[in-house]
Amino acid sequence: MSGPDAPLSRQVRGGWRDGHCVVAPDKFKGSLTAPQVAAHLATGLRRVRPDIPVVTMPVADGGDGTVDAVVESGFVRFQTSAAGPLGLPVAASFAMRGEAAVIELAEASGLRRLPVRPTCQTAMTATSYGTGELIRAAATRGARSVVLGLGGSACTDGGVGMMSALGVRFLDEHGLELPRGGAALTRLARIDASEMLQVPVIVASDVDNPLFGPRGAAQVYGPQKGARPGDIDELEWGLARLASIVERDLGADVADRPGAGAAGGVGYAALAFLGATVRPGIEIILELMSFAEQIEGARLVITGEGSLDSQTLHGKAPVGVAQAAAGVSVPVVAVAGQRSLTDEQLRRAHIEHAYALTDLEPDPEVCMAQAGPLLERLAGEIAGAWLGASAHA
């Protein structure tokens, strides 16, 4: 038996009474960043149990917010200018600790960096070039390995933009370099990788799609980037052409590898050109944050994200946090804007209970606007149910 009704004797013998509480949520997309969510939860906990140490460890799964999360855990943020998805310069950042760098594709090449709403034009011309510039900038600062978080990309260029920034030349039949964007890949004739900057890369992604085909980058993710049916066919053809030329010129046959279709094929480029490995994003981020050490002796872990739904069960941050905590027998509860997972689904994911903002406020728009105060109220409920009455109350 566990949770609010667990016998006090077990709590004492298990060390919960004198342990700390770890707050490790992901972002509430469209409302609060992961550090903001963690800060509001910590505030609510401290109001009810000021005597219990609270450790905030905002997390991410490789997508938006990954750099913010590792900076909170001790990495140093570096700001630079990089090409946005349409080639216009944007202010982007990456993080480093020692010789390890963390780069988030969405920082330079994400949908949120488009200066306009996604259209068929942006879908065909968006580039990952800026992501390659961030990798080069990190290498210039001494990075010897890169964790590359993939998610939220605006491009379907097979990672050609990224590799162009790293010195690879993609040429048409006349020996001219291709313009940026996925549409140009149909004209690819030859690849020259003789001047490529080689940097060891680990891809942080929970996407297992291949490069092309029914589950590929263009067909599955193209529509959300603005591509119409005819555009998707052209992008598909370009990605297949890229895979064929890469296999001929570089001897790399990785188009069907799980994760090759991540971020419009940036995963493929990392695999084919940089020899990258692909791992679940949350797993890598928790390692970088020394999460296992931080939860030793904890009495409770609080995780969460904007929506606890079926997608949560497929490699998202709350499940990764819960699995890590289960390894050292620390109970986990989750918070969310809304939840659709059943109690049984939560238990199978090692989450003992979930609290949603919609439990307090049924209007989703109000929940979005008032997420911070509502999270503090939920944290107070969690403190009362899971941490008991304060000796200082």
Side-chain angles (χ1 to χ4, degrees):
M1 185 178 184
S2 60
D5 300 320
L8 181 60
S9 59
R10 175 185 162 183
Q11 295 181 31
V12 174
R13 285 199 297 269
W16 299 6
R17 174 172 289 179
D18 297 320
H20 57 291
C21 182
V22 176
V23 178
D26 199 349
K27 63 187 174 295
F28 278 35
K29 193 170 185 178
S31 183
L32 297 173
T33 66
Q36 289 171 333
V37 174
H40 283 295
L41 289 171
T43 296
L45 290 171
R46 289 171 178 140
R47 283 177 186 157
V48 177
R49 289 303 306 267
D51 56 315
I52 293 179
V54 177
V55 177
T56 57
M57 298 189 70
V59 298
D61 59 11
D64 292 358
T66 295
V67 168
D68 289 341
V70 297
V71 166
E72 288 284 318
S73 70
F75 278 67
V76 176
R77 185 190 302 272
F78 292 94
Q79 201 83 22
T80 188
S81 178
L86 300 186
L88 301 173
V90 297
S93 62
F94 60 93
M96 287 185 64
R97 186 173 64 194
E99 295 183 342
V102 175
I103 292 172
E104 178 184 322
L105 174 136
E107 271 288 296
S109 311
L111 280 168
R112 64 185 174 88
R113 291 300 194 181
L114 286 175
V116 295
R117 291 175 62 88
T119 65
C120 58
Q121 179 67 18
T122 64
M124 304 301 279
T125 60
T127 176
S128 58
Y129 191 90
T131 298
E133 290 183 302
L134 291 180
I135 294 174
R136 182 175 286 278
T140 299
R141 286 192 171 271
R144 296 295 176 263
S145 64
V146 170
V147 170
L148 177 60
L150 301 185
S153 76
C155 56
T156 311
D157 71 346
V160 163
M162 176 180 74
M163 297 313 305
S164 295
L166 295 178
V168 180
R169 301 177 69 218
F170 297 87
L171 309 171
D172 65 15
E173 62 181 351
H174 303 294
L176 301 176
E177 294 203 36
L178 296 179
R180 297 174 190 174
L185 294 179
T186 57
R187 309 203 304 273
L188 179 63
R190 184 168 66 87
I191 297 171
D192 177 3
S194 60
E195 301 297 323
M196 179 177 66
L197 175 65
Q198 187 68 254
V199 181
V201 168
I202 300 173
V203 170
S205 175
D206 59 0
V207 170
D208 62 0
N209 304 70
L211 179 62
F212 58 89
R215 295 185 59 251
Q219 295 199 39
V220 174
Y221 300 108
Q224 71 189 37
K225 300 175 185 181
R228 300 168 302 190
D231 305 323
I232 292 171
D233 291 342
E234 188 173 352
L235 291 170
E236 179 83 353
W237 182 22
L239 293 174
R241 177 74 176 169
L242 172 64
S244 174
I245 302 299
V246 166
E247 185 174 359
R248 186 197 70 192
D249 291 359
L250 276 71
D253 181 13
V254 296
D256 291 332
R257 197 87 67 78
V266 172
Y268 168 78
L271 289 165
F273 290 88
L274 302 174
T277 56
V278 180
R279 293 178 57 197
I282 184 60
E283 183 180 289
I284 300 173
I285 299 306
L286 292 180
E287 285 182 8
L288 291 174
M289 298 169 69
S290 301
F291 185 75
E293 289 84 351
Q294 294 292 333
I295 62 174
E296 282 288 340
R299 68 174 67 187
L300 182 67
V301 171
I302 303 174
T303 188
E305 63 180 350
S307 180
L308 287 171
D309 54 31
S310 59
Q311 291 300 309
T312 303
L313 304 176
H314 298 285
K316 295 298 184 181
V319 171
V321 168
Q323 289 175 338
V328 290
S329 301
V330 178
V332 176
V333 298
V335 294
Q338 56 187 357
R339 74 171 262 207
S340 58
L341 296 179
T342 66
D343 290 343
E344 179 57 29
Q345 287 175 310
L346 291 168
R347 281 192 293 270
R348 287 202 299 266
H350 305 291
I351 296 172
E352 305 215 15
H353 194 69
Y355 298 78
L357 300 187
T358 51
D359 296 338
L360 302 177
E361 170 52 62
D363 186 336
E365 291 188 7
V366 175
C367 286
M368 291 279 286
Q370 299 294 322
L374 290 171
L375 279 169
E376 292 176 22
R377 286 176 56 189
L378 280 185
E381 290 187 14
I382 292 169
W386 289 83
L387 303 177
S390 171
H392 305 285

